[in-house]
Each structure stands twice: as C-alpha cells, then as structure tokens.
Amino acid sequence: MARIRKGAGKVAPQFLEDDPSTGYLPGRRWPIVRYGLVTLLASAILVFAIEWIVRGDFSGTVDFFLQPFKPGWTTIIVFALVLIGLDAVLGRSHQSLMIVAPLTLALAFVGHQKSHYLGDPLYPTDFLYSRQIMALMPLLVRERPLTAVAIAIAIVAGLSLLVYGWRLWRRKVPILSRKGRLARLTLTVPLLAFFVSIMDYATFSWTRDRLQIIPIMWDQKENYASNGFALAFALNVPMAHVSAPAGYSDKAIAAIARPDVTASVPDEKPDIIVVMSESFWDPTKLPGVTITPDPIPNVRALRSGYMFSPEFGGMTANIEFEALTGFSNAFLPAGSIPYQQYVRTPTPSLATFLKSEGYRARAIHPGTNWFWNRGAVYADFGFNDFRSEETLPPMQKRGPLASDAAMTDEIIREADASEDPVFLFAVSLQNHGPYEPYRYYNPSHKVAAPISSWARESLLSYAEGSADADRGLERLVEWAKKRQRPTVIAFFGDHLPPLGPVYVETGFLKDNVAPRKEPSPEAALEHHQTPLIIWSNRTGPAEEMGAVSPAFLPYHILTTAGITHPYYTGFLGALRERYRVVDRNLLLSPAGEATPDWARQKKIDPAINDFRLIQYDMMFGKRSAAPDFFPETVDKVVAHTS
C-alpha cells in the first residue's frame, strides 16, 4: 500500500508546460512537440511562398514540393532550424518569423524582378552593387510612377506593421527559460554548421548528394529551378573565391608555348579611341518592325563584324572587363562580376600596356565614379585618369541622361588637347534603359509594328537613342579623317537593350530576356551580337571578322593600329585562329563550327586550357606568366588603397 501511495503521489512530467518562462501558457499540453510542429509548419509555408514568388507559377511551385526527398524538403528543415536558433537568440517563441519572413520574401521578390528583367536569378554578389541599383531608381520611377508609389506605400505599411507586431509580441509572449534557449542552440548550431560545410559546390559532399542537392553552376537558371531559391542562393556564396584550374602550377605556366611576338609600336603612334556604346544594337532586326529613317546608317556602312556579348540586357561591366583585359568571363563563376569581386590589385590591361609605351591612358564615362566600382578598377587597370560625372564639365542632356553628343565633344576635345598619343576608353550613358515611352520630346523617327502602343513608343525611345549614338560615331569618323595623326576608332554595343515586352510582342523572344543557355548557336548569335566597328583614318574599316568575343577586341584593335604585344596580339592572335567566340556555354571557330557545353566535356582543347591558366595566374595566382606575356607589369604590383 505504501508503494501504491508513493506511486500515486508521483507527478507526471509536463515538459515544463506550467512554466511561463518557456513561452507556453499554463494548461497547454506537449509544448515542445507543439512548438516543433508549429515551427515546421511556418517554415513550410514560408518556403512555399518564397518559391511561388520567385517562380511566379503556382503549379510549378507545387510540382517542386511534390517530389519526395528533393531540395524543397531540405530547405524546409533548414529554415525550421534557423527559426528555432534565432528564437533562442531573441528569447521568445516564433519571434524569429518577424525577421526571417520579411527578409526572405523581399529577397524572393527582388529575385523574381531580376529574373524577369535581366534573365538571371539573384546572386549573393548582387549586393555588391546595390548602390548602382539605387542610383537607377529615378529612371525606374519615371517609367512606372504608380508602381513606384504603390511599392513605397507597401514598404511603409509593412514596416509599420512589423514594428507594431514586434512590440505586441514582446508584451504578450513570455521569455524563454535559459534551459529552453540552450536546448534550442544545442540542437540548431551543430546542424546548421554542418549544413554550411556541405554547401561548397567545388567539393564533393556525400550528404549533399544523398539530399539530391546538385550544384548546377554552369546553368544558373536550372540551378535555381532544381534546388530552389534558398539553396541555389547558398550554393553561390562560395563564388567569391575562384579555385585554381586543375593542373595549375609554375610548371604548367612554363609549358605554355611562348609566342614569337614582342611589344612594339609604330614610330608614329596612332591615337586609339574605343567607344562602348550603352545597349547599342540594330533595332530593325525585330520581326515585323519598320523604323524610318534608318536609325544606324553609319554603323551599317562601317561595320567590321559583331561583338558577341556574354550578357543580355545588362551587366555592362563584364563586357568592359573582357574588352580591356583580353580575359574571359567564361573562366569565372557564373553570375560573378570581376569589377566588384576580383579586381583588387593592378591587373594587366590595354591601358597598362599602352601607358608603358608612352600613351596617355584615359577613361571617360558621364556617369558616377563609383558605378560598377570603375574608379578603383580603372586605377588598377593602369589608366592615368578617369573623368566621370564628378570631374567632367556639365554635360548637356538628351532625355534624362548625359547625351552622346556631349560625350563625343569631350572625346574630341581631349584627343586634340593631348600632345602625347592617347588611348581613350569611353562608355556612353544616354541610351541606358529603361526606355519609357515619350523619353524624347522631339523624335525624328517613326516606328511601324503590329504591337501595343506602349511597346511601340518604348521602341521609338530606344531607336532615337541609337540614332544619336550612330551620329556620334559619324562625327568621330569625320573628325578623324581630317587629322594628321593616325587614329583608330573602335565602336561597339555592350549588349542587347533591355526592351522587355517589345521582344515578346514582336516575336523576337518568348520571354522578356534571352535564356542563358541558348537552344542553338544560331540563337545565341541572334540574341548576343551587337554591331562592331574598328576603323582607321589610314586604312578604313577592318575587314569582316564575324562575331567575336570582347576578349578578342584588344587583338583586333592593336592589329589595326599596327601594334604588337606578346599576349594581346601574340597569344590571343594564335587563339583567334582557332576560335572567335569563347563563351561560358559556347565555343565558335572562325568557320562557324560550334562546340556547345565545352566546359562540361572531359577533354578540353589545350589552347582553351592555356587561356584559362594564364588568366588565373595573372588575376589570382603567382603571376609566373608576367615576364613572357605581360612584361610591362613586372615589378609593378602594388595593391590600391581605395
């Protein structure tokens, strides 16, 4: 009987349910199980909402989660662990949702917008140029003022609601006990640390493989579609580090064939003027579109070939990087921006070489100095100076931005004022998107096309800007014809314009942007090539060269100028005999033979491998190639202090 009375008097454990400090009110049963289930449900709803926003497709989102043991379910578990761990830090149950939900949903919205307008998903490195995005906000507001107002109201209302909910939660929900917080951290910290350790795409992970998280870094659109927004975003975090190519060593660099070419310039050094015209393209290529008069007659008459852009609708800095260095984005992580991430010490460029030969290397851009980090990058590239909005005289505007005519005036003035030969690299601004209807009050062209009024007027705005760029080229050529000093002019567009709905309505594209991985080489050429002019006042336009990667522009420019260099005309010249396009997804020979998906093949052309080894060595490695390929850079490597 004594034992019965003792057992009857024993109180069953209640999982601290009567302790208000655990965050659960008295009387509720199984608080730990309840807390876990509620957190898991909240995580599932949040992850589903994120995927729905990013994909913009409810049925596609459902399909993503219907397959068991796919990354979607792993994401839910990871989010639940994050919520539990953050609850422990904040000290109250489920308060972490007030931080995690708004932040991740906002990122999902931004990711959807970027994918919609630029064709690329959101990368961690995009935050390196958030300031650029804010600088473009006035243009976006001009295009869609009502949308901008609605977004502003939504942001203010959302923040107000969040502050109110935060304060209410702090008053209504009890503080977690010290034991409860410690238990949560003991569970989540090791598991999250392990998860982080398996997310380096460059190393194999048995666990990641079993979870069917497959890094598809060569096709980021598929990477995000297969792994989901959160996991694909996490997989891209390590892209800030560029791993050495297989086989990289001093011995491998020494084994690369040295070209029988030395650095030389003519006795009468020609001025070299390179104009990268913002979004310049031939809009008459749009199906069913007639533009009168011809917006680009001078470019059409002088065209030497095409520049094959590695980008579409944006990312100007990546084209600029190739054109100035002779290196390729194909060897860098997908989605990376060298100007933002990798150019941190003096890096060989056309400016470095030409300055060593007595040139005055100057850059001009009528935008801000910090945009795309150009101020620091141009210094590392060896330019003597960079004139931007901060240091240029007030420039006349055409529409909302500095005009191409004003930039052309500045180019001519600087070249004529210099006693030394000049290498002048200019990046225009006038024809930057978005192309809102009625951008110019005095259009001189007409657009006829079976498309909506908004799309037609937007296309007219773009055509007007293209015509202004064409007239700028005409002025440069006419000016150079009258000069006694030899002058070489290169002119090209950095990428196709972000015309969005215009492409869809005319049938040029199925979506607002071209896919990263094109179905055929012909489609890649159609969607990525812009007009290229390389012209000399001594010899006229360079011969037809087809479509070439911007990495080959230094070769063609220097060859036209009668200048030689071990890398720019020697190594790149030899490589140009084998390929004219070196892109992440495509190699194209001079005869037009295509090698798609070359980077995934077991055997890569040794010439391409040498190209990659030299680039890695000069950007990230020991610079063993410098004495033979970039002699002008030897003993001149000093990190900038900006």
Side-chain angles (χ1 to χ4, degrees):
M1 291 293 295
R3 285 197 299 270
I4 294 175
R5 282 197 299 271
K6 185 177 179 180
K10 188 176 180 180
V11 179
Q14 296 297 309
F15 296 94
L16 301 177
E17 66 174 353
D18 293 329
D19 182 2
S21 67
T22 62
Y24 298 93
L25 299 179
R28 291 186 178 179
R29 296 182 58 81
W30 305 100
I32 294 178
V33 175
R34 186 191 306 275
Y35 172 79
L37 290 176
V38 170
T39 302
L40 201 60
L41 178 61
S43 175
I45 294 172
L46 179 57
V47 173
F48 186 90
I50 290 169
E51 290 298 325
W52 188 5
I53 292 172
V54 171
R55 296 168 189 266
D57 178 10
F58 181 81
S59 61
T61 305
V62 172
D63 291 340
F64 176 67
F65 287 98
L66 283 181
Q67 304 177 54
F69 308 113
K70 282 291 185 179
W73 300 99
T74 302
T75 308
I76 291 172
I77 299 298
V78 171
F79 266 65
L81 291 172
V82 170
L83 293 175
I84 293 171
L86 196 53
D87 279 347
V89 173
L90 297 174
R92 284 175 171 82
S93 298
H94 307 305
Q95 193 167 23
S96 57
L97 274 171
M98 296 186 187
I99 295 176
V100 176
L103 178 62
T104 54
L105 292 174
L107 288 177
F109 175 77
V110 173
H112 176 76
Q113 294 300 308
K114 184 190 176 189
S115 180
H116 179 72
Y117 286 105
L118 294 179
D120 269 345
L122 186 71
Y123 302 117
T125 51
D126 289 338
F127 295 101
L128 293 172
Y129 61 98
S130 57
R131 189 179 176 191
Q132 283 91 312
I133 296 174
M134 296 306 297
L136 293 176
M137 285 304 294
L139 285 178
L140 299 176
V141 170
R142 280 172 57 94
E143 182 187 10
R144 297 183 179 181
L146 294 179
T147 301
V149 171
I151 292 175
I153 292 174
I155 291 174
V156 172
L159 289 176
S160 301
L161 184 62
L162 185 61
V163 171
Y164 172 77
W166 183 274
R167 297 180 64 183
L168 181 65
W169 202 263
R170 302 290 288 187
R171 290 198 303 266
K172 298 293 186 182
V173 177
I175 299 174
L176 292 171
S177 68
R178 183 175 299 178
K179 287 184 178 180
R181 298 173 72 173
L182 182 60
R184 287 166 171 79
L185 291 175
T186 302
L187 170 70
T188 59
V189 171
L191 290 175
L192 288 174
F194 175 73
F195 177 76
V196 170
S197 72
I198 68 172
M199 293 308 287
D200 184 356
Y201 66 85
T203 60
F204 174 77
S205 167
W206 182 90
T207 305
R208 190 181 66 210
D209 193 52
R210 300 288 77 75
L211 292 173
Q212 297 187 34
I213 302 173
I214 310 299
I216 312 174
M217 311 311 288
W218 58 89
D219 186 347
Q220 289 290 350
K221 190 172 183 179
E222 180 60 27
N223 190 31
Y224 277 70
S226 176
N227 293 309
F229 175 77
L231 293 188
F233 189 87
L235 284 167
N236 277 290
V237 170
M239 76 163 58
H241 172 72
V242 178
S243 300
Y248 171 70
S249 65
D250 291 344
K251 185 177 180 180
I253 296 296
I256 298 174
R258 268 48 180 173
D260 187 21
V261 176
T262 58
S264 68
V265 295
D267 292 335
E268 190 178 13
K269 299 174 183 176
D271 283 349
I272 299 175
I273 297 169
V274 180
V275 178
M276 188 169 71
S277 185
E278 174 61 45
S279 297
F280 188 85
W281 179 62
D282 183 359
T284 65
K285 289 183 175 292
L286 292 168
V289 169
T290 301
I291 303 175
T292 52
D294 184 359
I296 58 168
N298 297 290
V299 167
R300 215 178 296 283
L302 298 172
R303 187 180 61 78
S304 306
Y306 294 95
M307 195 279 295
F308 183 93
S309 178
E311 304 291 348
F312 182 95
M315 298 297 183
T316 297
N318 283 357
I319 296 89
E320 194 173 316
F321 165 76
E322 290 199 17
L324 285 171
T325 64
F327 295 150
S328 176
N329 289 287
F331 308 133
L332 297 173
S336 62
I337 304 162
Y339 273 27
Q340 299 284 3
Q341 298 155 263
Y342 308 133
V343 181
R344 290 293 181 267
T345 59
T347 302
S349 76
L350 280 178
T352 310
F353 164 57
L354 292 172
K355 187 170 70 171
S356 73
E357 295 292 343
Y359 276 75
R360 185 78 178 172
R362 320 191 77 167
I364 295 177
H365 175 57
T368 52
N369 174 285
W370 53 264
F371 207 95
W372 287 127
N373 198 33
R374 283 191 175 102
V377 169
Y378 286 164
D380 281 337
F381 279 178
F383 282 96
N384 293 99
D385 56 68
F386 170 35
R387 304 199 69 196
S388 60
E389 181 181 75
E390 294 84 355
T391 53
L392 286 166
M395 302 187 77
Q396 182 181 7
K397 292 185 176 182
R398 173 104 157 96
L401 301 171
S403 71
D404 279 5
M407 190 186 75
T408 302
D409 289 339
E410 194 62 26
I411 292 172
I412 293 173
R413 190 194 68 76
E414 292 223 8
D416 283 343
S418 177
E419 295 183 2
D420 297 325
V422 296
F423 167 56
L424 210 158
F425 183 77
V427 182
S428 72
L429 183 62
Q430 177 188 327
N431 214 20
H432 200 292
Y435 309 102
E436 67 275 15
Y438 312 108
R439 183 173 189 168
Y440 304 104
Y441 70 90
N442 56 344
S444 58
H445 291 75
K446 293 183 179 180
V447 174
I451 55 180
S452 67
S453 175
W454 187 95
R456 188 164 52 251
E457 292 298 332
S458 175
L459 179 56
L460 176 59
S461 293
Y462 173 75
E464 284 292 314
S466 298
D468 286 345
D470 184 81
R471 282 189 284 268
L473 173 66
E474 180 185 27
R475 285 186 56 210
L476 282 178
V477 169
E478 292 303 316
W479 159 75
K481 284 179 179 178
K482 301 172 185 176
R483 305 188 81 206
Q484 292 185 349
R485 179 179 290 178
T487 304
V488 173
I489 296 173
F491 178 98
F492 60 94
D494 50 353
H495 49 68
L496 268 68
L499 289 171
V502 174
Y503 291 131
V504 178
E505 292 190 31
T506 59
F508 185 76
L509 291 170
K510 293 181 179 179
D511 299 310
N512 285 347
V513 294
R516 272 290 179 186
K517 190 174 181 181
E518 297 280 4
S520 67
E522 292 75 21
L525 288 170
E526 184 178 24
H527 301 153
H528 288 270
Q529 61 182 18
T530 65
L532 169 64
I533 293 88
I534 299 179
W535 178 90
S536 166
N537 64 353
R538 293 291 191 267
T539 59
E543 63 181 10
E544 173 63 42
M545 59 187 68
V548 298
S549 288
F552 289 116
L553 292 183
Y555 163 74
H556 288 289
I557 291 169
L558 294 184
T559 300
T560 302
I563 297 174
T564 62
H565 181 269
Y567 178 78
Y568 295 118
T569 62
F571 179 83
L572 287 182
L575 186 65
R576 176 66 176 82
E577 294 179 2
R578 298 177 64 85
Y579 301 103
R580 55 187 173 96
V581 169
V582 177
D583 181 68
R584 189 179 309 280
N585 298 306
L586 175 70
L587 295 177
L588 199 64
S589 74
E593 298 173 354
T595 308
D597 293 329
W598 61 271
R600 299 179 62 189
Q601 297 179 4
K602 291 183 178 180
K603 187 176 181 180
I604 296 176
D605 187 337
I608 295 295
N609 193 53
D610 288 347
F611 189 11
R612 182 176 186 174
L613 287 171
I614 292 175
Q615 177 173 322
Y616 179 85
D617 182 64
M618 294 304 298
M619 289 187 67
F620 310 105
K622 300 177 181 178
R623 298 188 180 232
S624 303
D628 293 313
F629 292 98
F630 302 96
E632 67 277 5
T633 68
V634 176
D635 299 328
K636 296 180 182 180
V637 179
V638 180
H640 68 67
T641 58
S642 60

